[in-house]
Amino acid sequence: MIRLSSRKLHVLSDAIGRPFVARVTTNERLPLSMRGSEVLLLDSWTPSNELDGFRGLLLRNAPEEATRLPPNTVVLPPELAYVSDGDVLRISPQDRALAVLYRRRAAFNALLVTERCNHLCLMCSQPPKAADDSHLVDVLLSAIPLFAQDSPEICLTGGEPTLLGPRFLALVRAMRNYLPRTALHVLSNGRSFSDLQRARELAAIAHPDLMIGIPLYGATSELHEYVVQSAGAFDETIRGILNLKRAGVRVELRVVIQRANFEHLPQLAEYVARNLTFLDHVALMGLEPTGFAKANLDSVWIDPVEYKAELKRAVLTIAQAGMRVSVYNHQLCTLDPGLWRYARQSISDWKNEYLAECEGCAMKHRCGGFFSTGVPVRSKYIRALTHAPPR
Amino acid sequence: MAVRFDPRGTFAPTPGSYRLLPLRFERIDESRVVATNLVGEFVVLPRAMLSDLVEGRLHPDAPEYRELKTRHFLTDDRSSVALDLLALKARTKAEPIAEFTGLHMFVVTLRCDHSCAYCQVSRQTADKSRYDMTFEHAAKAVDLVFNSPSSTIKIEFQGGEPLLNFDVIRHVVELAEERNRTEQRKLQFVIATNLSQLNDEILAFAAAHNLVFSTSLDGPEDLHNGNRPRPGRNSHELALAGIERIRSTLGIDKVSALMTTTPRALGRVREIVDEYLRLGFRSVFLRPISPYGFAVRSKIADGYSIDDWLSFYIEGLDYILSLNEQGIAIREEYTSIVLEKIVTQRGTRYVDLQSPSGLGISAIVYNYDGKVYASDEARMLAEMKDESFLLGHVDTHTWADIFTSDKLLSVLASTVAESVPMCTDCAFLPYCGSDPAYHQAMQRDPVGHKAKSSFCKRNMGVFKHILRILNDRPERADILKGWVAA
């Protein structure tokens, strides 16, 4: 697992500044005019370095003598040693905190925009917090212009991003303006869009490559609302989906499979195929055993092998309706081979791992692997596969 | 993390709070009924369960309650979004009506070299000038075609044997393509032909203009030639040769085939399917005889009962499904059309299964003599001296004349199946349609008395059979769903 933050930053310079957002560079000859938004990453520092104008200095090795250091000089924590050119950091010297907001080399970056939420899902991997965290948006609005314009994909996640209201729209607008070639994926429960006006406002931004990922856990209100722990959620989410599509915004449905809903997957698939045929993608997802899922493991976890048949039925029903469907977060050895062509390597690189049992597996290069986050709960049936994929 | 979650019951509907959405039902076997909702979603229930449902006694904990709720037979105090979704589905199903007339049939000649007993039109062999469409009428018909607002226009050449008047086909294709440079419709051409007159010139023209062919193939050689007499008794041989020439010069998907069920076909459905397989076809259309033209005069339409045809169809479908179970991909076309109506929310373009009827607004016929008819069957009726669905003439009527005529509008109004006696209460209404030309031919009335309607009896038999497979035979249901092109 790759760590994305540190709270024990070793701050070297006396001039302790306010928190700031900056991009990493290793080019100490960068023209002075370009240095204002950059932190310079060096292996070590010597007084001969000409470092005027950089926003800060990031050292892989702490110098023996720490005099005449430029302002905002910090030591890069060893667990963040992967940080490199183009990454965007938030450094808060006073709090001894450093957060990696964006990794230049990752195919996919997720931005946490708020921790507030109007759901309390049984298996939430990112349990909500009630505190006002509106400063997160300010940080992101200043960070987005620093991201590389050839970034393939960025995800806005929460919490429930749309609770930010106009500030959510400001984030989408910033993504459109500064990263017009980057796919934007927003994870939302969709309820805000049960107001058609809200859907139209989002559509009016005309982001060139936007998709809203919306969870649905059951085909009945009672099941979905039990999982998200909120009465009235089902109707609002469905209306939200309808309004988004009406406004011309692309929508992906995301179904996290768990103990409460695995038996009902075929019914949910039928419902989706009959009512929501116009969806742009459906993802059937394995559980990430962290957050509430970790705390409630016994009541939410189910071995994927136990729902093999239900998952197959569900995927085929959706595929038969001509819809795009994928299986996320599953290991190929737990899936019916007929579903391998739908399985994606969906776990973000920084929290993706494989087990000792996986060594020598013929399919490892195509397998989704495991979450390294949370508790190490695994299917009892993990094994190395010896044969090639079915045609 | 000490978070307390609410138990499931917190989110459950109040027992007895549900309200029924529109539904219809029909007995499907001794103990069970099939219930369908407004848009054709279905649930098979024990009879007693249906009573519980309609009398408000079904408990929210029952699995059937969840099934009925997700399939939009009821709403309860926890969820009403079913209404939004039903409305959306109903609109989607009705969308083809707004598309308007897409299929334009040109009867370019009544002459034919075959003398099939089941022929739906009265063929003519003599007097070329009298039974061929003229260039002038063809040009006027092309003008009418492009008055249709439809984004997709399919021009189908019919006969008689249309290739006997190939000059007019060529003329129509060239005029339509010229016109389409500015119209920019999705334009397709089909020739319905027995292929006996196919030659290099026709093939070259078809290649240059992307024409496709639809031919008749009734099964093995003896059956086909028995059904389709021509001088030389070689209809089967010529059809096969034509199919092969089209495939090798134009491509495998440029020719399709249709069969017609005659009394001598009964009991031979497997041989017919096998013949289609031998020739490399991936679909068979098991069609009953239509009660028009020579088929009536020769009494061949009386040669078997609806039950005979249903047995033929069911045996054929069973055989086709068993082939699919072996991995041999072949479909039955009528089943596919019905399935599309059962398992998807799309509307159909199939003229006989639309409400209102597809007469004129889905398909229209320009006859050899310049007369305009509301359907292929309508011109067949006219050959039987019944001009109920004669809408006008290319010389004297405009598009507006034809489509605002009382004749067309009144028949359309009377074929909205939702308001037709007996249809209005029928569980199969969402899958069915109303075939006014058929009822006019059989009962001298475009609506007809459905209890005496063989159209009704045949389709009810087909619907029940397909629904039983979908409900009771999951592995076969999968095969059937695979037939519906996504």
Side-chain angles (χ1 to χ4, degrees):
Chain A
M1 180 163 123
I2 298 174
R3 297 198 59 94
L4 296 177
S5 63
S6 168
R7 299 203 134 264
K8 292 173 192 156
L9 200 59
H10 188 182
V11 181
L12 296 171
S13 52
D14 295 335
I16 290 175
R18 290 165 49 78
F20 62 93
V21 171
R23 177 166 53 202
V24 175
T25 180
T26 55
N27 179 8
E28 61 183 281
R29 291 165 55 209
L30 200 68
L32 193 62
S33 62
M34 294 177 69
R35 293 181 178 184
S37 56
E38 316 285 318
V39 282
L40 180 67
L41 173 62
L42 289 177
D43 284 343
S44 56
W45 175 78
T46 56
S48 63
N49 291 124
E50 288 184 28
L51 304 176
D52 293 347
F54 284 106
R55 194 73 175 81
L57 183 58
L58 204 53
L59 299 177
R60 290 189 187 276
N61 302 296
E64 286 177 12
E65 201 181 315
T67 52
R68 294 176 49 216
L69 282 163
N72 294 324
T73 299
V74 300
V75 179
L76 183 69
E79 66 270 26
L80 303 182
Y82 64 84
V83 163
S84 58
D85 273 287
D87 291 355
V88 177
L89 313 177
R90 179 175 189 267
I91 299 173
S92 180
Q94 279 174 318
D95 304 330
R96 299 182 61 201
L98 184 154
V100 181
L101 300 175
Y102 167 84
R103 287 176 306 128
R104 171 78 178 88
R105 284 182 297 185
F108 169 89
N109 278 277
L111 309 179
L112 179 76
V113 304
T114 180
E115 292 189 282
R116 292 187 302 130
C117 194
N118 49 352
H119 281 175
L120 195 68
C121 301
L122 302 177
M123 71 306 162
C124 182
S125 59
Q126 181 87 40
K129 293 174 185 162
D132 176 14
D133 56 7
S134 51
H135 65 280
L136 289 176
V137 177
D138 299 321
V139 170
L140 293 172
L141 286 174
S142 58
I144 288 169
L146 303 178
F147 298 175
Q149 285 199 20
D150 61 356
S151 300
E153 182 176 3
I154 285 178
C155 171
L156 301 185
T157 181
E160 171 50 44
T162 63
L163 294 182
L164 295 166
R167 308 255 296 159
F168 164 68
L169 298 178
L171 280 167
V172 176
R173 215 172 281 121
M175 289 293 303
R176 178 201 65 189
N177 293 344
Y178 292 103
L179 302 167
R181 287 177 293 282
T182 299
L184 176 59
H185 200 193
V186 176
L187 298 185
S188 163
N189 60 40
R191 295 177 68 174
S192 301
F193 302 111
S194 61
D195 176 354
L196 180 59
Q197 188 53 32
R198 298 280 307 269
R200 289 201 170 130
E201 283 165 6
L202 177 62
I205 295 173
H207 188 286
D209 191 356
L210 170 68
M211 175 102 90
I212 312 293
I214 296 179
L216 190 70
Y217 300 118
T220 57
S221 55
E222 47 269 48
L223 177 54
H224 178 75
E225 292 174 4
Y226 167 62
V227 173
V228 306
Q229 292 282 301
S230 174
F234 183 81
D235 283 14
E236 283 191 10
T237 288
I238 299 290
R239 290 199 176 101
I241 291 169
L242 297 183
N243 285 339
L244 284 168
K245 290 302 297 182
R246 210 166 265 151
V249 179
R250 295 190 302 148
V251 177
E252 167 194 72
L253 204 71
R254 298 166 72 86
V255 182
V256 175
I257 307 164
Q258 51 197 298
R259 187 165 287 281
N261 70 357
F262 77 94
E263 289 171 295
H264 303 291
L265 284 180
Q267 189 176 53
L268 177 57
E270 288 274 341
Y271 184 85
V272 167
R274 297 196 62 88
N275 295 288
L276 306 173
T277 324
F278 45 77
L279 285 169
D280 299 278
H281 183 223
V282 178
L284 297 163
M285 306 167 60
L287 190 73
E288 181 175 1
T290 190
F292 286 158
K294 181 175 166 183
N296 303 321
L297 197 65
D298 290 342
S299 54
V300 301
W301 164 259
I302 167 94
D303 191 317
V305 170
E306 288 184 48
Y307 58 72
K308 220 173 181 175
E310 288 87 350
L311 181 58
K312 183 179 185 190
R313 179 73 268 146
V315 170
L316 295 184
T317 296
I318 296 166
Q320 269 169 352
M323 304 175 69
R324 279 182 61 219
V325 53
S326 302
V327 176
Y328 284 177
N329 310 345
H330 282 74
Q331 304 79 42
L332 294 178
C333 56
T334 65
L335 292 177
D336 184 290
L339 295 192
W340 287 4
R341 52 183 288 229
Y342 300 99
R344 309 275 176 262
Q345 293 177 301
S346 49
I347 300 174
S348 303
D349 61 341
W350 63 271
K351 55 181 177 181
N352 196 193
E353 67 177 22
Y354 296 85
L355 306 184
E357 293 94 304
C358 303
E359 288 311 312
C361 175
M363 293 302 297
K364 187 177 170 187
H365 64 291
R366 276 187 47 197
C367 181
F370 299 86
F371 284 105
S372 57
T373 42
V375 286
V377 56
R378 310 292 185 228
S379 167
K380 291 199 291 279
Y381 302 87
I382 298 301
R383 66 187 201 287
L385 298 164
T386 51
H387 54 87
R391 293 249 312 136
Chain B
M1 266 166 286
V3 178
R4 281 182 58 86
F5 292 111
D6 289 326
R8 274 169 196 257
T10 312
F11 305 96
T14 311
S17 75
Y18 70 84
R19 289 170 177 223
L20 294 178
L21 292 166
L23 67 89
R24 299 179 174 89
F25 55 88
E26 180 82 32
R27 184 186 295 230
I28 197 171
D29 56 30
E30 290 309 306
S31 57
R32 300 180 303 169
V33 294
V34 58
T36 61
N37 74 356
L38 200 59
V39 294
E41 289 169 279
F42 73 94
V43 179
V44 175
L45 296 169
R47 231 194 119 70
M49 189 76 77
L50 179 74
S51 304
D52 286 348
L53 168 67
V54 296
E55 286 164 29
R57 291 194 305 261
L58 200 60
H59 196 275
D61 289 345
E64 289 82 1
Y65 184 100
R66 288 196 294 270
E67 202 61 28
L68 289 159
K69 182 171 170 174
T70 64
R71 288 177 192 270
H72 296 161
F73 287 82
L74 58 88
T75 59
D76 59 34
D77 63 347
R78 285 292 183 178
S79 177
S80 62
V81 77
L83 287 170
D84 304 49
L85 292 166
L86 264 182
L88 182 60
K89 287 184 282 193
R91 280 202 300 277
T92 305
K93 285 230 177 221
E95 251 177 357
I97 299 173
E99 220 349 60
F100 225 64
T101 317
L103 178 59
H104 298 260
M105 286 175 272
F106 282 62
V107 181
V108 295
T109 180
L110 275 195
R111 292 182 295 130
C112 188
D113 59 326
H114 280 58
S115 51
C116 311
Y118 56 61
C119 187
Q120 300 162 356
V121 291
S122 306
R123 67 208 168 269
Q124 307 291 339
T125 48
D127 202 350
K128 178 172 158 73
S129 59
R130 214 177 123 200
Y131 296 108
D132 280 11
M133 181 179 268
T134 63
F135 276 49
E136 187 195 4
H137 284 163
K140 287 178 177 171
V142 169
D143 269 343
L144 287 174
V145 168
F146 282 94
N147 271 291
S148 166
S150 182
S151 60
T152 298
I153 285 179
K154 184 192 275 186
I155 292 179
E156 181 174 306
F157 299 101
Q158 291 255 6
E161 169 47 51
L163 293 184
L164 288 172
N165 191 9
F166 187 68
D167 287 345
V168 165
I169 294 181
R170 190 203 317 266
H171 187 56
V172 168
V173 169
E174 285 169 352
L175 281 177
E177 286 185 339
E178 172 65 31
R179 180 77 180 262
N180 202 40
R181 276 187 218 163
T182 47
E183 293 279 352
Q184 297 288 309
R185 315 291 181 88
K186 188 165 176 282
L187 184 61
Q188 302 164 289
F189 301 101
V190 184
I191 305 181
T193 167
N194 60 43
L195 297 177
S196 65
Q197 310 298 313
L198 192 67
N199 60 36
D200 288 340
E201 181 199 355
I202 293 169
L203 280 168
F205 186 79
H209 299 272
N210 202 18
L211 268 55
V212 301
F213 296 85
S214 169
T215 194
S216 293
L217 181 70
D218 280 359
E221 186 163 14
D222 69 301
L223 177 58
H224 181 99
N225 286 341
N227 283 349
R228 303 179 59 78
R230 81 180 293 280
R233 302 192 53 80
N234 60 350
S235 174
H236 187 263
E237 185 188 331
L238 290 174
L240 264 55
I243 289 166
E244 184 46 41
R245 278 178 87 184
I246 293 167
R247 285 179 173 168
S248 60
T249 53
L250 305 181
I252 191 100
D253 55 346
K254 300 301 182 190
V255 59
S256 60
L258 292 172
M259 63 80 61
T260 302
T261 311
T262 56
R264 61 165 71 81
L266 297 180
R268 298 186 68 178
V269 70
R270 287 172 178 245
E271 289 175 66
I272 294 166
V273 173
D274 285 347
E275 179 72 354
Y276 271 72
L277 285 174
R278 181 174 81 86
L279 298 176
F281 286 107
R282 292 301 175 119
S283 78
V284 183
F285 199 147
L286 301 176
R287 290 193 312 168
I289 286 178
S290 302
Y292 309 99
F294 270 32
V296 171
R297 253 184 278 163
S298 66
K299 305 277 184 208
I300 192 173
D302 305 330
Y304 58 81
S305 67
I306 293 297
D307 286 330
D308 289 337
W309 182 82
L310 276 172
S311 305
F312 173 86
Y313 164 79
I314 288 170
E315 186 190 348
L317 183 58
D318 181 66
Y319 180 53
I320 288 168
L321 285 167
S322 71
L323 289 167
N324 278 273
E325 285 164 349
Q326 298 171 42
I328 300 167
I330 178 166
R331 298 181 301 168
E332 199 286 308
E333 285 298 326
Y334 195 66
T335 311
S336 303
I337 291 163
V338 172
L339 279 167
E340 185 175 36
K341 301 197 76 172
I342 298 178
V343 306
T344 80
Q345 304 303 331
R346 294 194 292 269
T348 185
R349 304 284 288 169
Y350 186 69
V351 179
D352 293 351
L353 294 180
Q354 294 183 21
S355 169
S357 152
L359 276 185
I361 58 172
S362 191
I364 193 159
V365 176
Y366 309 95
N367 211 8
Y368 69 96
D369 53 4
K371 288 179 176 168
V372 181
Y373 290 100
S375 75
D376 205 20
E377 293 76 11
R379 60 125 174 169
M380 296 169 190
L381 264 179
E383 298 293 333
M384 298 159 71
K385 314 288 179 236
D386 181 340
E387 297 205 324
S388 302
F389 307 111
L390 171 62
L391 301 179
H393 193 285
V394 297
D395 282 336
T396 49
H397 292 78
T398 65
W399 176 260
D401 294 338
I402 290 166
F403 280 91
T404 56
S405 66
D406 285 344
K407 216 176 203 176
L408 180 61
L409 295 181
S410 73
V411 71
L412 290 177
S414 68
T415 58
V416 177
E418 284 77 359
S419 65
V420 166
M422 295 188 74
C423 296
T424 183
D425 296 318
C426 177
F428 307 120
L429 168 70
Y431 314 137
C432 204
S434 44
D435 191 339
Y438 183 92
H439 290 103
Q440 179 69 27
M442 300 300 282
Q443 301 186 14
R444 298 285 142 216
D445 181 89
V447 175
H449 186 348
K450 303 302 180 192
K452 295 176 184 167
S453 162
S454 44
F455 171 88
C456 176
K457 188 173 180 188
R458 171 166 58 88
N459 278 314
M460 294 258 269
V462 170
F463 299 146
K464 281 187 188 179
H465 185 65
I466 295 175
L467 288 173
R468 276 193 295 256
I469 298 176
L470 289 175
N471 193 70
D472 301 343
R473 304 284 300 270
E475 65 307 327
R476 289 198 157 185
D478 258 354
I479 294 168
L480 289 181
K481 287 176 188 168
W483 292 0
V484 182

